[in-house]
Amino acid sequence: MNSVPETTDTLPRAARRRTALISLSERLGRITQEQVILLFAFAIVVVFAIALPGFAIWGNFIALLRSISILGIFALGMAVVIIGRGIDLSQIAIALVSAGTATALMIAGVDLRVALVAGLICAIGLGLTNGMLVAFLNFPPLFATLATALVMVGVARSTLLTSMFLSVPAELSSFLMLGQNLRGIPIPLIVFAVSAALLHVFLSWTIFGRFIYAHGDNGQAARLSGMPVRLLTLIEYSLSAAISYVAGILMVASTAMLNLRVASSTMIFDVILIAVLGGVSLAGGRGGVHSVLAGAILIGVLLNGMTIMDLDYQLQNIIKGAVLLIAIAIDTVLHPHDIETARQGA
Amino acid sequence: MKLPNMVMLGMLSALVSAATILPATEADAQSDPRMQLRTDFDTIVKGKKVAWVPITLGNPLGDSWTKAMKGNFDRFGIEFVTRDPNFDSSAQLQAVTSMINEKPDVLIVQNPNVALLANELKRAMDLGIYVLQVNMRSNQPSDAYVGVDYYDTGRLIAEDIGASCGGGKSSGKVAIVQGEPTAAGSVDQLRGAMDVFKKDPSIKIVSTQAANWDTNKAYEITATVLQQHPDLCATYGFWGVMQTGAAQAVKAAGLAGKVKVYASSEGNWNDCDLVEQGLFYKILSYRSNIQGEQISDAVVTLLQGGAKPGTKNLIYLSNNYWVASKKDRNYCFEKNATTP
């Protein structure tokens, strides 16, 4: 009897704080991470619009969205894999290798359409490879895709793409058009919008789309309910690869150059940042296209504002890191840590 | 005379001439200084080992250096070994360490930043290996440096921008696209350029963002800057390959020909193509394939000089050639200068 009041007294402070946080999240009601992030982005927009001349104009709005569209397309692909409780660190590698294949074929004189289809086939092949490693050999996605990224770039470098930089000659103007504007709207932005709409339809309105959520939420339960979980894994990774390929093609067309060095850059973390920031939880089964859009808008606003303010490189990194920490904090409040959902890649 | 006599005479004269000619040739080789020069050179350089660790191969810069070096060293009978760290600085440090352990006669490195290889370069010289640095200097001086004086590059380009944008001729707005902000090549160009711009009140620096040698980042930064400053007069990028992104952003904004795109460049063919297409306004080329020849010269100088490694600090500065139109094409190198 004596021990009961004692335990309540010595309830660990952390646990008490957690209880407080949970009640806070309950009080906040059903507010989602996307809404918080959008609100946050909106607040920054208001501050920038007041403080920065030249921020709140239509042209800058377009430039802002243009600057985030390629990262955003990558993040759409990443979202599919993360919702299925996986992760794809080989996205950038797949984009560069498959877009590089298409570009090399075009430079060699192959017809534009044939080259683009060949690149897409290459991308889907690489995505299927990832999917098979995860689905059939049960490799943890983190390590499987980390390894395949290295292999893909290595093989490409020693065979087809011997140079780290491949410049697209001006004669391929119909290909370079993809990086330009259509009636004042950048084509990469249009592609981002269309891909987002298509993916939203796929994830929300089709059976396979809903299955991906089920797969990510609880893989065991999904399998026991008779869902083809291995097929789902294959679909997730090849869809991510195909979407990455689109981003890769836009990247090459925009700069008229394929830069294989990007494969070893930190770009993949920017992609994950956008997806996770918006609420695609690494625990799987949560978030969607709207999350990616929210994350993309916040990062876009930040990058644009920091470039306008001409902040130096280190300060930009500090701010980006701080924003990620704030996002994680919000995530912790809204989705309190839970052993059941914390197993990523299980 | 009878025939046998003639034969005898012929044989005799052949013997005599052989006797006089043969010793004469031997004596010539010893006394002819022109022949001796090459013999001595071969004695010194033949069979020597040269190790080369650039930041990366598979790009016009690294490949043009390597091709020029390999051509010369093969000709001289020097063993030439290369490691490609593929832009990974920890891999580069490991490659340099393992190269030093192989005890080459000369070690050539391209420093990714001023500090990374400093200790290893010192260790190599202590072990009796000549150390030659290419294009980007380390805080550790060594036997020879072959490369660009990036401060000068920044100064020259800034002066040209001042002449074409300053003095009220235009808005005077200039954007700078830096490389990796800690790399010597980026730091020194910035310093050189800013020293010039600071003195010219008609020039306004509206942006000095770092794009980390990345074409895509240069594109995004420039697109945003152009949105804010459509009356931008010039953008100056610290590397042609990276600045290609800025040039494409200028084109996408419909400002090609209005915004002057400057870049410093190793002089690869694509940068010259862009000048001819009007996407680059002017580039300052140092012709890295000629640097490859300079590196080879520096290596044979060190080998023949006989000084103890670590006692000299020779410097071989690169050229600065302006490329502004098709007629300057000879200041770029073509693709065949990079393919083995």
Side-chain angles (χ1 to χ4, degrees):
Chain A
M1 277 300 281
N2 280 346
S3 63
V4 175
E6 231 176 288
T7 28
T8 17
D9 262 6
T10 56
L11 191 68
R13 197 192 291 174
R16 255 187 286 156
R17 196 183 302 144
R18 220 190 91 178
T19 325
L21 283 181
I22 291 170
S23 67
L24 175 68
S25 74
E26 275 162 2
R27 250 180 287 144
L28 285 171
R30 293 179 54 78
I31 192 164
T32 63
Q33 186 163 346
E34 294 86 71
Q35 288 163 336
V36 175
I37 291 298
L38 273 180
L39 217 66
F40 194 38
F42 184 71
I44 299 178
V45 166
V46 171
V47 172
F48 281 172
I50 295 166
L52 289 178
F55 179 83
I57 50 175
W58 174 251
N60 187 52
F61 182 64
I62 293 292
L64 187 160
L65 292 176
R66 162 72 182 77
S67 75
I68 207 67
S69 47
I70 289 176
L71 270 182
I73 296 171
F74 274 118
L76 288 174
M78 185 63 84
V80 174
V81 181
I82 296 181
I83 290 169
R85 201 183 280 198
I87 197 157
D88 185 358
L89 297 184
S90 66
Q91 264 201 325
I92 310 288
I94 291 177
L96 293 171
V97 170
S98 52
T101 305
T103 314
L105 289 174
M106 272 181 255
I107 292 173
V110 175
D111 178 69
L112 176 72
R113 280 156 296 183
V114 176
L116 286 178
V117 170
L120 180 64
I121 292 171
C122 170
I124 292 176
L126 295 173
L128 281 176
T129 312
N130 280 336
M132 281 193 265
L133 291 178
V134 175
F136 294 100
L137 300 177
N138 286 326
F139 282 18
L142 193 72
F143 300 113
T145 55
L146 188 65
T148 51
L150 295 174
V151 174
M152 286 168 195
V153 176
V155 170
R157 276 296 302 281
S158 52
T159 53
L160 191 64
L161 306 165
T162 46
S163 177
M164 192 170 267
F165 304 102
L166 193 62
S167 33
V168 183
E171 295 84 67
L172 291 172
S173 51
S174 47
F175 171 59
L176 292 174
M177 261 304 293
L178 292 173
Q180 301 292 314
N181 296 342
L182 189 71
R183 292 170 202 273
I185 312 264
I187 293 179
L189 176 56
I190 299 173
V191 176
F192 181 31
V194 171
S195 327
L198 288 178
L199 188 66
H200 181 69
V201 169
F202 172 73
L203 283 178
S204 309
W205 293 351
T206 69
I207 292 171
F208 267 103
R210 299 315 302 170
F211 277 8
I212 289 177
Y213 279 94
H215 178 213
D217 197 41
N218 192 332
Q220 295 284 9
R223 183 181 308 194
L224 291 174
S225 338
M227 290 181 198
V229 282
R230 282 181 168 161
L231 178 64
L232 282 173
T233 310
L234 292 183
I235 291 176
E236 286 154 18
Y237 284 91
S238 38
L239 191 57
S240 158
I243 295 174
S244 310
Y245 169 67
V246 173
I249 284 291
L250 292 172
M251 206 151 73
V252 175
S254 301
T255 57
M257 177 168 291
L258 174 86
N259 184 349
L260 273 177
R261 206 203 150 184
V262 178
S264 50
S265 74
T266 53
M267 190 174 183
I268 191 72
F269 300 111
D270 289 346
V271 173
I272 297 173
L273 173 66
I274 287 182
V276 173
L277 194 60
V280 182
S281 176
L282 286 169
R286 213 179 265 140
V289 169
H290 49 288
S291 325
V292 173
L293 295 181
I297 287 171
L298 177 60
I299 292 295
V301 169
L302 265 179
L303 289 180
N304 180 271
M306 292 194 296
T307 308
I308 293 177
M309 285 187 278
D310 198 20
L311 296 188
D312 82 73
Y313 181 71
Q314 313 305 346
L315 190 56
Q316 293 204 14
N317 279 342
I318 294 171
I319 294 173
K320 260 196 280 181
V323 168
L324 182 59
L325 284 177
I326 293 170
I328 293 170
I330 295 170
D331 188 32
T332 320
V333 174
L334 294 179
H335 316 121
H337 192 73
D338 175 337
I339 291 164
E340 279 305 304
T341 57
R343 278 181 306 141
Q344 192 272 323
Chain B
M1 241 190 242
K2 281 180 186 169
L3 201 65
N5 280 358
M6 275 182 69
V7 174
M8 283 290 283
L9 198 69
M11 280 171 70
L12 199 72
S13 64
L15 258 168
V16 169
S17 54
T20 47
I21 287 165
L22 278 178
T25 327
E26 246 169 54
D28 270 359
Q30 274 159 16
S31 65
D32 186 344
R34 290 178 295 131
M35 302 293 282
Q36 192 58 39
L37 215 49
R38 178 62 203 253
T39 317
D40 290 349
F41 176 77
D42 284 347
T43 321
I44 294 171
V45 305
K46 216 171 226 165
K48 289 284 192 293
K49 185 171 174 179
V50 174
W52 162 228
V53 187
I55 292 175
T56 184
L57 290 177
N59 72 18
L61 182 59
D63 291 349
S64 59
W65 282 332
T66 308
K67 185 177 183 184
M69 281 191 248
K70 189 165 183 344
N72 286 312
F73 295 152
D74 283 354
R75 196 155 53 91
F76 301 151
I78 294 175
E79 189 194 345
F80 184 49
V81 282
T82 311
R83 291 278 183 282
D84 180 4
N86 200 11
F87 260 122
D88 178 342
S89 43
S90 63
Q92 189 176 10
L93 184 59
Q94 277 172 18
V96 167
T97 305
S98 74
M99 281 293 199
I100 293 173
N101 295 342
E102 285 179 30
K103 289 268 168 60
D105 298 280
V106 182
L107 171 69
I108 311 172
V109 296
Q110 178 196 8
N111 293 291
N113 60 48
V114 293
L116 182 77
L117 303 175
N119 288 339
E120 286 301 282
L121 301 186
K122 171 104 179 39
R123 187 168 77 91
M125 288 187 287
D126 291 345
L127 288 169
I129 301 167
Y130 291 114
V131 173
L132 196 154
Q133 303 179 42
V134 180
N135 237 9
M136 300 232 251
R137 272 170 278 193
S138 160
N139 283 335
Q140 169 67 50
S142 70
D143 299 286
Y145 168 74
V146 179
V148 179
D149 181 345
Y150 277 114
Y151 181 87
D152 246 16
T153 306
R155 186 180 57 79
L156 286 169
I157 294 180
E159 280 169 359
D160 202 86
I161 292 174
S164 52
C165 290
K169 276 193 216 78
S170 71
S171 64
K173 287 180 180 174
V174 177
I176 290 175
V177 185
Q178 298 183 50
E180 157 78 47
T182 56
S186 192
V187 173
D188 294 349
Q189 280 190 72
L190 184 66
R191 199 181 293 159
M194 292 314 284
D195 281 354
V196 173
F197 288 140
K198 262 184 278 174
K199 286 186 212 132
D200 189 345
S202 65
I203 295 286
K204 280 192 288 292
I205 305 296
V206 294
S207 165
T208 51
Q209 295 280 295
N212 283 335
W213 310 128
D214 178 355
T215 319
N216 302 298
K217 259 192 199 130
Y219 183 103
E220 306 301 358
I221 290 169
T222 308
T224 305
V225 170
L226 286 172
Q227 187 52 52
Q228 298 305 306
H229 309 281
D231 56 343
L232 191 74
C233 181
T235 158
Y236 164 24
F238 291 177
W239 186 32
V241 171
M242 170 181 75
Q243 189 71 346
T244 305
Q248 294 295 338
V250 168
K251 184 182 161 199
L255 293 168
K258 292 192 184 98
V259 176
K260 298 179 174 67
V261 183
Y262 283 83
S264 58
S265 166
E266 71 270 16
N268 76 70
W269 62 95
N270 189 52
D271 288 358
C272 264
D273 286 348
L274 292 177
V275 170
E276 287 168 27
Q277 290 161 24
L279 290 177
F280 277 166
Y281 175 69
K282 259 186 183 181
I283 59 171
L284 192 64
S285 158
Y286 55 81
R287 290 237 11 204
S288 56
N289 60 330
I290 293 182
Q291 282 185 324
E293 301 291 335
Q294 289 179 299
I295 300 168
S296 314
D297 289 348
V299 167
V300 292
T301 306
L302 289 173
L303 289 174
Q304 293 177 95
K308 192 171 168 290
T311 53
K312 284 265 183 345
N313 291 309
L314 304 178
I315 183 160
Y316 297 77
L317 289 179
S318 314
N319 300 294
N320 289 311
Y321 302 110
W322 280 112
V323 178
S325 70
K326 203 179 172 76
K327 71 174 173 48
D328 304 321
R329 184 82 201 187
N330 53 323
Y331 297 129
C332 278
F333 56 87
E334 299 303 323
K335 199 167 191 165
N336 61 16
T338 61
T339 43

